[in-house]
Amino acid sequence: MASTSYRVTAVPPIRRLAPGESLNRDDFRQSISVLGLKIPASRTTEFMKYLKLKGSLLQLPKVKTVEQVEGEDDTRILLLDFYSTDSLPEDISEIVKRNQLDVVPHPVELDYSYWTAEEVLKSTLPESLLEDMPTAFTMMGHLAHVNLREEYLPYKYLFGQVILDKNKGLRSVVNKTDNIDTTFRFFKMETIAGETDTMVEVNESGCTFRFDFAKVYWNSRLGTEHERLVSIFQPNDLIADVFAGVGPFAIPAARNNCLVFANDLNPASAEYLAQNCQENRVQERVRVTNLDGREFIKSSVLEAIDRPFVNVRPIQSSKQRARQARLKQTVKEEPVQRAIAHYVMNLPALALEFLDAFPDAFRPSERSKDIKEVYGARGMPMVQCHCFTRELDPQQAEADILERAQRSLGHPISSPSFHYVRRVAPNKDMYCMSFRLPSTILD
């Protein structure tokens, strides 16, 4: 048998670019001469099956292995995974001889569209930048977002153009130019390819979100965490989302028949949150506010007691509505909830610090009796608090988070649970700490 070293491979041409130099797609044209087996068109399936079993068909990704012959409608060419007849295995040579087939050279033409984004970048960037070359980006509708390190900034337009070229449906590529704004949770960005259009539409958890990515915070990598947390909530739970953004927790929770107080300090986030509630038809189940997180926490307890959701009917599927109409059943209003079941605190850089607002929220002197009556019967709320830690060992990470949480809350926390979300930097992990507020804060 012939050595597999004779098998056909394709490597993109090397064309190292200087900083700011434009990409020339014609540089990536390449012609590879392979062997072709001329066969009767009527026997194509027969020969393909045999050659595939023998592993002799051309194995270049995205390249067809059957070609028509111009002017010969009854003939096909099967492309083989060999450059020359010297490398043909004996059993393939025997098939050729027995069936009196012709083996001919056949060109395989490759161009820029053939190569992946990673292959193009590795062929054009300086060799010194290849080892840790960034390849990840996040997509939001028509927009891709990259976060290029300083050493790659001279080639930012190259990255933008390649990402745009290689991902159908994209119209814009932006690069982060600053850290997240700690007040309103968005970052400055610049367009490095395509249109300057940051209004996007994202579908997640069966919901549609529209927003201006340049004005609000959104992270598509947290989709799984959004779904995980929403799945914990029970229908008719009252949720208080302290840092709600444009609604990735609040709106899916409302669609699952929860009731939600949804707050964000960023006016743009609150505006898009309200619009997204309308878009997803949950405006009766979500109350949007634009407050500081501490102010929201402190006001939320009495807001639930004094101004609960009333006259709210459950969200039903079309089948449920049709069945009730057929049986002439009346849709019952949901029971009034005056106790918050969960607080969601998805501001990992700062959320632990906001725990200091809970003692004041649960013990205003003039209303302490009302609050004890509500939460004595229902039980204290759960807190779902996202946070960062520099401790990479899980046990040390949990100890670090718990210590900081208790210090901020000013009370011991019993039986917390920790969910690892993701690594956000080489020395920084994101967790979600879940715990029940201690009843001692009522005293």
Side-chain angles (χ1 to χ4, degrees):
M1 296 289 287
S3 169
T4 56
S5 62
Y6 291 99
R7 294 299 175 92
V8 176
T9 58
V11 179
I14 304 299
R15 174 69 169 86
R16 304 293 177 201
L17 299 181
E21 186 177 357
S22 298
L23 176 71
N24 185 350
R25 296 172 182 80
D26 288 338
D27 288 340
F28 289 87
R29 294 186 180 278
Q30 189 177 100
S31 181
I32 302 175
S33 181
V34 302
L35 293 183
L37 191 62
K38 294 184 72 173
I39 61 170
S42 60
R43 299 183 66 186
T44 300
T45 303
E46 172 191 345
F47 281 108
M48 279 192 69
K49 183 176 180 181
Y50 179 81
L51 293 173
K52 189 173 183 179
L53 289 173
K54 291 295 184 180
S56 297
L57 281 175
L58 183 65
Q59 296 180 32
L60 287 182
K62 301 182 288 184
V63 175
K64 293 191 298 184
T65 54
V66 181
E67 295 281 359
Q68 291 186 327
V69 179
E70 188 175 354
E72 299 181 38
D73 294 340
D74 295 333
T75 304
R76 298 288 185 271
I77 292 183
L78 292 185
L79 302 187
L80 304 179
D81 205 25
F82 303 99
Y83 292 107
S84 69
T85 54
D86 294 339
S87 58
L88 279 178
E90 293 179 6
D91 54 348
I92 301 300
S93 298
E94 179 60 30
I95 289 289
V96 171
K97 183 177 179 180
R98 186 188 325 136
N99 290 274
Q100 298 182 337
L101 303 175
D102 291 331
V103 178
V104 297
H106 187 86
V108 174
E109 304 294 343
L110 306 178
D111 59 17
Y112 177 75
S113 65
Y114 176 78
W115 312 104
T116 66
E118 184 174 355
E119 287 171 330
V120 172
L121 290 171
K122 284 186 174 180
S123 299
T124 50
L125 289 171
E127 290 188 44
S128 60
L129 295 179
L130 299 185
E131 185 174 354
D132 295 320
M133 183 186 78
T135 56
F137 60 90
T138 56
M139 289 181 61
M140 288 140 291
H142 70 273
L143 182 146
H145 160 233
V146 297
N147 186 10
L148 297 177
R149 298 191 298 275
E150 184 176 359
E151 60 268 33
Y152 292 95
L153 292 180
Y155 297 90
K156 60 188 177 183
Y157 297 116
L158 171 64
F159 275 93
Q161 190 60 60
V162 173
I163 291 171
L164 191 65
D165 288 343
K166 298 299 179 179
N167 293 274
K168 292 182 178 179
L170 283 183
R171 302 199 312 271
S172 304
V173 184
V174 299
N175 178 50
K176 174 181 174 182
T177 60
D178 202 354
N179 293 327
I180 289 178
D181 182 287
T182 55
T183 303
F184 289 157
R185 289 205 301 168
F186 65 88
F187 47 79
K188 295 179 181 179
M189 63 185 72
E190 61 177 338
T191 301
I192 57 175
E195 306 171 7
T196 303
D197 178 10
T198 53
M199 276 297 302
V200 300
E201 179 177 309
V202 179
N203 294 301
E204 184 180 281
S205 302
C207 303
T208 299
F209 301 89
R210 292 192 178 96
F211 51 88
D212 187 340
F213 186 54
K215 296 180 179 179
V216 303
Y217 177 79
W218 179 274
N219 191 336
S220 295
R221 294 174 181 172
L222 293 177
T224 300
E225 177 63 5
H226 297 155
E227 293 180 355
R228 181 194 72 84
L229 203 52
V230 170
S231 71
I232 295 173
F233 307 149
Q234 298 301 310
N236 209 38
D237 273 354
L238 177 55
I239 312 299
D241 193 347
V242 185
F243 313 107
V246 297
F249 289 109
I251 291 174
R255 294 270 294 181
N256 288 346
N257 281 309
C258 293
L259 302 165
V260 188
F261 293 157
N263 175 75
D264 203 277
L265 177 62
N266 183 347
S269 294
E271 179 182 351
Y272 287 118
L273 171 57
Q275 292 176 11
N276 288 327
C277 288
Q278 293 278 348
E279 174 71 23
N280 291 279
R281 300 180 180 180
V282 294
Q283 65 271 22
E284 293 184 355
R285 310 185 72 86
V286 182
R287 189 175 298 169
V288 178
T289 53
N290 176 212
L291 302 172
D292 169 76
R294 285 186 175 86
E295 184 182 350
F296 171 76
I297 291 172
K298 292 176 182 179
S299 64
S300 61
V301 177
L302 291 180
E303 176 78 6
I305 294 174
D306 295 338
R307 297 183 60 244
F309 287 92
V310 294
N311 302 322
V312 178
R313 297 184 178 186
I315 294 176
Q316 297 178 307
S317 67
S318 56
K319 287 184 178 180
Q320 289 173 319
R321 291 194 299 270
R323 182 176 183 275
Q324 288 187 330
R326 187 171 64 253
L327 298 176
K328 298 182 180 180
Q329 294 177 334
T330 303
V331 180
K332 294 182 179 180
E333 294 176 358
E334 294 182 341
V336 174
Q337 293 293 343
R338 287 186 165 84
I340 295 170
H342 293 266
Y343 281 90
V344 178
M345 304 180 69
N346 182 32
L347 182 63
L350 297 172
L352 289 175
E353 298 176 18
F354 282 75
L355 295 178
D356 64 4
F358 283 105
D360 289 341
F362 278 86
R363 58 170 185 244
S365 56
E366 71 281 4
R367 300 295 300 278
S368 58
K369 181 179 178 181
D370 296 335
I371 294 172
K372 287 182 178 180
E373 182 178 333
V374 169
Y375 288 93
R378 170 66 170 77
M380 297 298 288
M382 292 293 296
V383 176
Q384 315 293 340
C385 186
H386 290 93
C387 52
F388 294 137
T389 178
R390 297 284 182 181
E391 301 290 346
L392 302 186
D393 175 78
Q395 288 186 335
Q396 294 179 1
E398 293 176 9
D400 169 59
I401 295 167
L402 178 58
E403 189 277 326
R404 290 155 56 204
Q406 292 183 139
R407 187 187 336 133
S408 180
L409 184 64
H411 290 262
I413 294 173
S414 300
S415 306
S417 63
F418 299 87
H419 175 76
Y420 173 81
V421 179
R422 69 187 191 98
R423 178 150 294 175
V424 298
N427 295 305
K428 188 194 310 188
D429 286 342
M430 179 177 173
Y431 280 81
C432 179
M433 177 187 181
S434 301
F435 66 95
R436 191 171 296 280
L437 278 173
S439 58
T440 54
I441 68 173
L442 293 173
D443 302 327

